[in-house]
Amino acid sequence: MSAKVTLIITEGSLKGQQFIFDSRTTCIIGRAKDCHPQLPNDNAHSTISRYHCLLDINPPDIRVRDFGSRNGTYVNGKIIGQRQPNQSPEEGAKLNFPEYDLKDGDEIKLGNTVFQIGIEVTSIEETTQTLSLNQLTEQTKSLSSQQPSLPTIPTDDPNLTILGNYTIEKLLGKGGFGEVYLARHNLSNERVALKIMRPQIAAKPLAIEMFQRETENTKALTHPNVVQLRDYGYHDGTFFLTLDYCDGGSVFELMQQRGGCLPIDEAVPIILQALDGLDYAHNAEIPYVKLKDGTLGKGRGLVHRDIKPSNLLLSNVNGSTITKVADYGLAKAFDQAGLSGLSMSGSTAGTPHFMPRQQVINFKYAKPEVDVWAIAASLYYMLTSTFPRTFIGDPFLAVLKTNALPIRNRNASIPKPLAEVIDLALVDKPEIYFQTASDFKQALLTESGL
C-alpha cells in the first residue's frame, strides 16, 4: 500500500495551487517566510497569523493543529481553535481542542483561503517492492526460530511471550511504544535489554516490512557510543528487539540522583562521548535508503531526531563510564511505518523541549544538525535543569517564535567561554550554528578545559 495527501487551494488569491505529501512530514501554514505553504504577507491575508497552524502528515493520516491564532482555523466551517480578544497568544494556545484529524474531502479555511484535503491510497503488489524486502522478512525470523518453547514474561499480561533464548529478569521501564526488560541470554549468559513494541493499529505486511527495513538500518550502526541493536523479530502482533544493556541508567536518572543538575566536569565528558556516537551515525553507511527513483539502495548517515537526556544511557566498563546514544531511529521508524497510532503533534508524543525550529518546520528533511542542536540543548538542561527555551502555551509555537535564553541567565556559575559555545550551539535562526557533531565537539574541547 502507498498513500499520498494533497492540499489544493480552492478559494483565495492562490486558488489552484496544490501541495503533495507522500511521506511522513510536518509543515506550517502561515505568512512567515519559512512557512510551507506560505501565504502572502499582505492586507488581503492580514487575518492569517505568521505561524497559523501546523499540519502533521503521515499518509494517509493528516492532522491540523491551530496555534491559538486570533482569527482561528476552520475545518468544514467549524472552528477548531481561536484566541479570544482579551487573551494573549500564550493563553490562546491553551485551547482544549486545538487539533483535528482530517479525512478525504475535508476543507481547512484560514481567512479567505480554503484548502481541500485529498487522500489517495493505492494498493500495490508486494512483489513490486525493491531490494530484498522479502529477504529482510526472512532475516527477522531468526529470533523466533531459536527455540520452540517460549517462556512467559513476568508482566501484567499473562499471555505475553518472548522469542528466543532469553530469560527475563525484570521490567526496566515502560514508554509510549511498549516495555523494556532486562534479559539474559541462556547460552552466552550475556545481559541485554529486550524491548517489546506493540502496534497501536493493525500491522499490515508492508508496514511491517517498512519497520524491519528501518530497523536493519539501525542494526548497521556499530560504535562504542551508540546502543547496539543486536536482533529483532515480529511474532503474533508484537515486535521484539534486543539491544545493549546499559547498567548505569540514563543521564536523566543520573540528574535526579545528583539533585537535578550535573557538574561541568561530569556533564561535558558525557556529551563529548555522545557527540562521537552522533558523528559516527551521521556518516555511517546505511544499507536500505529510499532513492529518488523509488528503489532502495545504500546511503550514508542516519538522523536520530529525538536526542534528550533520557536517550543518553550510561554503562560501566572496566571502571569507566561510557555514554551511549539510545533509541536510534526505532521510535521514528515505528511511527513512520504507521504502527504507533501517534502523531508528532499529539500530546502522547511529547513536547519539543529539545527540538530546533528546523525540525518543527520540516520534519521530513531533518538533517544531522538537528541532532547537534538537541545535544547542546541536553547539555544546557544537564547544567541548569531547565530547557533552553521558555515554554508557555503551545510548545511548537514556542520553538518557532522564541530563541534559547543565554545559559548564564539560568546558571551564572558557568564559565563564560563554555557558556558562549553552548549559546552558539543553540542558535537555530536562520540556520543551526554548528552543522556537524565534530565541529561542536571541537568547540567544547577548546573552551571547556577538559
Side-chain angles (χ1 to χ4, degrees):
M1 181 189 77
S2 64
K4 67 178 180 180
V5 172
T6 303
L7 272 63
I8 301 176
I9 300 180
T10 58
E11 293 183 29
S13 62
L14 302 181
K15 183 177 179 179
Q17 288 194 21
Q18 66 176 13
F19 307 86
I20 299 174
F21 307 91
D22 60 4
S23 59
R24 179 75 166 90
T25 190
T26 56
C27 58
I28 311 296
I29 302 178
R31 293 183 293 110
K33 290 182 179 179
D34 48 9
C35 288
H36 177 75
Q38 182 196 5
L39 300 178
N41 188 18
D42 56 24
N43 289 334
H45 297 82
S46 60
T47 60
I48 297 172
S49 299
R50 294 184 67 251
Y51 298 106
H52 197 100
C53 61
L54 176 146
L55 295 180
D56 188 0
I57 304 170
N58 193 10
D61 301 318
I62 174 171
R63 171 178 291 184
V64 59
R65 177 189 184 103
D66 184 79
F67 279 146
S69 57
R70 180 176 294 279
N71 294 289
T73 299
Y74 290 78
V75 175
N76 300 330
K78 295 182 179 180
I79 196 166
I80 66 164
Q82 180 181 25
R83 175 159 53 98
Q84 300 303 312
N86 60 341
Q87 287 182 313
S88 67
E90 291 78 15
E91 291 171 328
K94 296 179 182 179
L95 297 165
N96 291 329
F97 303 103
E99 297 186 343
Y100 189 92
D101 290 319
L102 299 161
K103 58 183 182 298
D104 185 50
D106 282 348
E107 291 185 337
I108 307 172
K109 184 176 182 180
L110 289 65
N112 295 319
T113 301
V114 175
F115 295 85
Q116 185 174 63
I117 307 300
I119 298 175
E120 181 180 340
V121 179
T122 304
S123 295
I124 57 176
E125 296 295 330
E126 291 185 34
T127 54
T128 64
Q129 297 302 296
T130 58
L131 200 69
S132 66
L133 284 181
N134 288 330
Q135 293 177 21
L136 282 178
T137 303
E138 290 300 317
Q139 291 173 11
T140 59
K141 293 178 180 177
S142 60
L143 278 177
S144 59
S145 63
Q146 288 179 17
Q147 68 180 50
S149 177
L150 303 177
T152 301
I153 289 179
T155 179
D156 295 336
D157 183 354
N159 298 315
L160 186 61
T161 59
I162 67 167
L163 304 176
N165 291 313
Y166 295 97
T167 298
I168 302 301
E169 296 189 349
K170 65 178 180 178
L171 176 69
L172 294 176
K174 296 184 178 182
F177 296 100
E179 300 89 33
V180 181
Y181 295 89
L182 174 61
R184 188 180 296 275
H185 194 277
N186 294 335
L187 300 179
S188 68
N189 210 35
E190 184 180 21
R191 281 180 158 185
V192 298
L194 191 148
K195 176 171 286 193
I196 295 173
M197 303 177 79
R198 297 185 185 85
Q200 300 299 308
I201 60 174
K204 298 179 181 179
L206 289 182
I208 294 170
E209 288 184 347
M210 180 178 178
F211 178 73
Q212 290 170 341
R213 182 191 74 202
E214 294 299 327
T215 304
E216 193 70 17
N217 285 340
T218 302
K219 191 177 179 181
L221 300 179
T222 305
H223 189 272
N225 300 119
V226 177
V227 171
Q228 176 70 48
L229 171 63
R230 308 291 189 85
D231 217 337
Y232 60 93
Y234 176 76
H235 182 74
D236 288 344
T238 301
F239 292 91
F240 298 80
L241 309 100
T242 55
L243 307 103
D244 287 343
Y245 170 59
C246 298
D247 55 4
S250 71
V251 168
F252 180 77
E253 292 168 336
L254 180 64
M255 291 174 63
Q256 307 313 301
Q257 297 169 16
R258 297 283 195 271
C261 294
L262 297 181
I264 292 173
D265 60 359
E266 188 171 25
V268 172
I270 287 173
I271 293 299
L272 291 174
Q273 291 188 54
L275 285 167
D276 283 340
L278 287 180
D279 185 56
Y280 161 79
H282 289 163
N283 294 283
E285 183 176 275
I286 306 302
Y288 301 105
V289 175
K290 189 174 182 180
L291 305 177
K292 290 182 179 180
D293 62 2
T295 63
L296 299 177
K298 291 183 179 180
R300 190 161 294 278
L302 280 182
V303 181
H304 190 291
R305 287 185 172 92
D306 193 26
I307 295 292
K308 54 190 176 184
S310 59
N311 274 340
L312 301 178
L313 303 186
L314 305 171
S315 283
N316 298 308
V317 180
N318 299 325
S320 299
T321 298
I322 304 298
T323 304
K324 292 178 178 284
V325 179
D327 274 353
Y328 215 109
L330 293 179
K332 175 184 73 73
F334 204 61
D335 182 43
Q336 286 188 300
L339 298 168
S340 68
L342 305 178
S343 71
M344 175 181 161
S345 59
S347 59
T348 321
T351 54
H353 295 142
F354 300 95
M355 189 181 292
R357 61 193 308 276
Q358 286 78 2
Q359 196 168 340
V360 173
I361 290 169
N362 199 331
F363 177 89
K364 177 180 178 180
Y365 294 107
K367 296 180 180 180
E369 55 261 33
V370 305
D371 289 345
V372 180
W373 195 97
I375 205 76
S378 297
L379 178 56
Y380 187 112
Y381 185 76
M382 291 158 66
L383 295 175
T384 66
S385 74
T386 56
F387 304 118
R389 291 184 172 95
T390 299
F391 285 89
I392 300 175
D394 191 297
F396 291 94
L397 193 59
V399 172
L400 292 170
K401 299 184 71 172
T402 65
N403 297 320
L405 287 175
I407 193 170
R408 281 166 61 90
N409 288 13
R410 310 283 202 189
N411 184 347
S413 68
I414 296 174
K416 188 175 180 181
L418 175 60
E420 288 176 347
V421 170
I422 296 173
D423 290 342
L424 276 178
L426 292 172
V427 170
D428 61 355
K429 186 185 293 184
E431 301 294 337
I432 294 172
Y433 185 84
F434 290 112
Q435 296 284 297
T436 68
S438 59
D439 286 346
F440 182 37
K441 178 185 177 181
Q442 187 56 51
L444 278 179
L445 285 171
T446 300
E447 301 300 345
S448 66
L450 297 177

